Amino acid sequence: MKNIALLSLLLSCHAMANETPCDNAIIEQFHKARELYLSIQNIHTEGYQNPKIAIWKSETDKLRQKCNSISYIDLPFDRAIGAHDLYDLMGAYINGKGVEEWQTKFSLALVCHETPNACSKYINKTSPKELEEFLDSTAN
Protein backbone atom coordinates (compact mmCIF):
# COMPACT_ATOMS: atom_id res chain seq x y z
CA MET A 1 0.00 0.00 0.00
CA LYS A 2 2.89 2.32 0.82
CA ASN A 3 4.35 1.67 -2.64
CA ILE A 4 1.07 2.55 -4.33
CA ALA A 5 0.82 5.83 -2.45
CA LEU A 6 4.42 6.74 -3.29
CA LEU A 7 3.94 5.74 -6.92
CA SER A 8 0.82 7.91 -7.14
CA LEU A 9 2.72 10.83 -5.67
CA LEU A 10 5.60 10.40 -8.12
CA LEU A 11 3.26 10.15 -11.09
CA SER A 12 1.29 13.20 -10.01
CA CYS A 13 4.53 15.18 -9.60
CA HIS A 14 5.61 14.14 -13.09
CA ALA A 15 2.24 15.23 -14.48
CA MET A 16 2.57 18.57 -12.69
CA ALA A 17 6.07 18.98 -14.07
CA ASN A 18 4.74 19.05 -17.60
CA GLU A 19 2.04 21.65 -17.12
CA THR A 20 1.59 23.50 -20.39
CA PRO A 21 0.73 26.88 -18.78
CA CYS A 22 4.08 26.90 -17.01
CA ASP A 23 5.90 25.84 -20.17
CA ASN A 24 4.23 28.63 -22.12
CA ALA A 25 5.00 31.19 -19.42
CA ILE A 26 8.68 30.18 -19.25
CA ILE A 27 8.98 30.52 -23.03
CA GLU A 28 7.17 33.87 -22.92
CA GLN A 29 9.56 35.21 -20.27
CA PHE A 30 12.49 33.97 -22.38
CA HIS A 31 11.19 35.97 -25.34
CA LYS A 32 10.75 39.05 -23.16
CA ALA A 33 14.26 38.71 -21.73
CA ARG A 34 15.75 38.38 -25.20
CA GLU A 35 13.84 41.44 -26.42
CA LEU A 36 15.11 43.45 -23.45
CA TYR A 37 18.66 42.29 -24.09
CA LEU A 38 18.46 43.33 -27.74
CA SER A 39 16.72 46.65 -27.12
CA ILE A 40 18.18 48.18 -23.95
CA GLN A 41 21.42 50.05 -24.61
CA ASN A 42 22.58 50.29 -20.99
CA ILE A 43 21.69 46.77 -19.83
CA HIS A 44 25.24 46.22 -18.51
CA THR A 45 25.37 49.40 -16.43
CA GLU A 46 21.81 49.58 -15.10
CA GLY A 47 20.96 45.90 -14.83
CA TYR A 48 17.91 45.32 -12.64
CA GLN A 49 17.76 49.06 -11.91
CA ASN A 50 16.38 49.59 -15.40
CA PRO A 51 12.57 49.90 -15.02
CA LYS A 52 11.84 47.49 -17.91
CA ILE A 53 14.14 44.83 -16.49
CA ALA A 54 12.70 45.40 -12.99
CA ILE A 55 9.22 44.70 -14.39
CA TRP A 56 10.53 41.57 -16.11
CA LYS A 57 12.08 40.41 -12.82
CA SER A 58 8.81 41.02 -10.97
CA GLU A 59 6.93 38.94 -13.56
CA THR A 60 9.56 36.22 -13.31
CA ASP A 61 9.28 36.24 -9.49
CA LYS A 62 5.53 35.65 -9.82
CA LEU A 63 6.10 32.94 -12.41
CA ARG A 64 8.61 31.20 -10.17
CA GLN A 65 6.11 31.19 -7.29
CA LYS A 66 3.38 29.80 -9.55
CA CYS A 67 5.60 27.31 -11.39
CA ASN A 68 7.80 25.99 -8.63
CA SER A 69 10.88 23.85 -8.96
CA ILE A 70 9.00 20.81 -10.28
CA SER A 71 7.67 22.72 -13.29
CA TYR A 72 10.14 22.56 -16.13
CA ILE A 73 10.59 21.95 -19.83
CA ASP A 74 12.33 18.66 -20.59
CA LEU A 75 15.43 18.89 -22.75
CA PRO A 76 17.36 16.06 -24.40
CA PHE A 77 19.88 14.00 -22.48
CA ASP A 78 18.30 14.24 -19.03
CA ARG A 79 18.32 18.01 -18.86
CA ALA A 80 15.56 20.46 -18.14
CA ILE A 81 14.99 24.18 -17.85
CA GLY A 82 12.67 25.91 -15.42
CA ALA A 83 11.51 29.31 -14.29
CA HIS A 84 14.47 29.65 -11.92
CA ASP A 85 16.83 29.47 -14.92
CA LEU A 86 15.39 32.71 -16.27
CA TYR A 87 17.37 34.62 -13.63
CA ASP A 88 20.59 33.02 -14.88
CA LEU A 89 19.68 34.00 -18.43
CA MET A 90 19.11 37.63 -17.44
CA GLY A 91 22.25 37.58 -15.30
CA ALA A 92 24.22 36.47 -18.36
CA TYR A 93 22.68 39.29 -20.39
CA ILE A 94 23.52 41.88 -17.72
CA ASN A 95 27.04 40.60 -17.01
CA GLY A 96 27.83 39.78 -20.62
CA LYS A 97 29.14 36.32 -19.67
CA GLY A 98 27.60 32.99 -20.58
CA VAL A 99 25.09 34.55 -22.95
CA GLU A 100 25.60 31.97 -25.70
CA GLU A 101 25.20 29.05 -23.27
CA TRP A 102 21.91 30.33 -21.83
CA GLN A 103 20.62 31.40 -25.26
CA THR A 104 21.31 27.88 -26.51
CA LYS A 105 19.53 26.19 -23.60
CA PHE A 106 16.46 28.36 -23.91
CA SER A 107 16.43 28.09 -27.71
CA LEU A 108 16.49 24.31 -27.34
CA ALA A 109 13.64 24.56 -24.82
CA LEU A 110 11.73 26.61 -27.38
CA VAL A 111 12.26 23.95 -30.05
CA CYS A 112 11.30 21.11 -27.69
CA HIS A 113 8.23 23.02 -26.53
CA GLU A 114 7.00 23.97 -30.01
CA THR A 115 7.96 20.70 -31.72
CA PRO A 116 8.03 17.93 -29.11
CA ASN A 117 8.67 15.25 -31.75
CA ALA A 118 12.01 16.87 -32.55
CA CYS A 119 13.24 16.16 -29.02
CA SER A 120 11.16 13.23 -27.81
CA LYS A 121 13.53 10.45 -28.85
CA TYR A 122 16.31 12.13 -26.85
CA ILE A 123 14.27 12.70 -23.71
CA ASN A 124 14.24 9.93 -21.15
CA LYS A 125 10.93 9.61 -19.37
CA THR A 126 10.39 7.23 -16.51
CA SER A 127 7.52 4.90 -17.27
CA PRO A 128 5.05 3.83 -14.57
CA LYS A 129 6.47 0.30 -14.84
CA GLU A 130 10.01 1.56 -14.21
CA LEU A 131 8.80 3.52 -11.18
CA GLU A 132 7.05 0.44 -9.83
CA GLU A 133 10.16 -1.69 -10.32
CA PHE A 134 12.24 0.96 -8.57
CA LEU A 135 9.82 1.06 -5.63
CA ASP A 136 9.84 -2.73 -5.41
CA SER A 137 13.62 -2.80 -5.35
CA THR A 138 13.78 -0.24 -2.54
CA ALA A 139 11.13 -2.03 -0.49
CA ASN A 140 13.21 -5.22 -0.36
Side-chain angles (χ1 to χ4, degrees):
M1 188 57 103
K2 181 172 83 174
N3 286 348
I4 293 171
L6 186 55
L7 180 62
S8 297
L9 176 65
L10 288 172
L11 290 175
S12 67
C13 287
H14 183 72
M16 289 169 50
N18 292 317
E19 291 178 16
T20 302
C22 286
D23 291 1
N24 290 336
I26 291 169
I27 295 297
E28 182 180 324
Q29 284 302 99
F30 164 59
H31 284 297
K32 288 180 181 180
R34 188 168 55 188
E35 287 172 22
L36 290 170
Y37 173 63
L38 296 174
S39 66
I40 296 177
Q41 294 293 327
N42 53 1
I43 193 167
H44 301 298
T45 55
E46 287 188 1
Y48 286 110
Q49 301 306 311
N50 182 294
K52 290 180 181 179
I53 296 177
I55 291 170
W56 177 90
K57 183 181 181 306
S58 175
E59 291 173 357
T60 303
D61 291 342
K62 290 175 189 171
L63 173 63
R64 188 165 181 204
Q65 287 176 351
K66 176 185 169 200
C67 301
N68 58 27
S69 62
I70 63 169
S71 297
Y72 57 87
I73 298 172
D74 287 322
L75 300 177
F77 311 113
D78 294 326
R79 295 188 178 179
I81 205 153
H84 62 281
D85 293 309
L86 289 162
Y87 299 114
D88 293 327
L89 171 71
M90 185 56 77
Y93 287 157
I94 291 170
N95 296 320
K97 295 179 183 176
V99 173
E100 295 84 9
E101 177 185 345
W102 284 106
Q103 277 283 129
T104 302
K105 287 180 184 179
F106 275 94
S107 296
L108 181 58
L110 179 64
V111 169
C112 293
H113 176 70
E114 290 182 352
T115 314
N117 290 339
C119 298
S120 63
K121 67 181 180 179
Y122 303 105
I123 295 176
N124 298 324
K125 300 238 182 211
T126 305
S127 71
K129 183 180 178 188
E130 289 173 320
L131 286 173
E132 187 175 333
E133 289 172 358
F134 171 73
L135 292 172
D136 288 342
S137 70
T138 59
N140 293 331

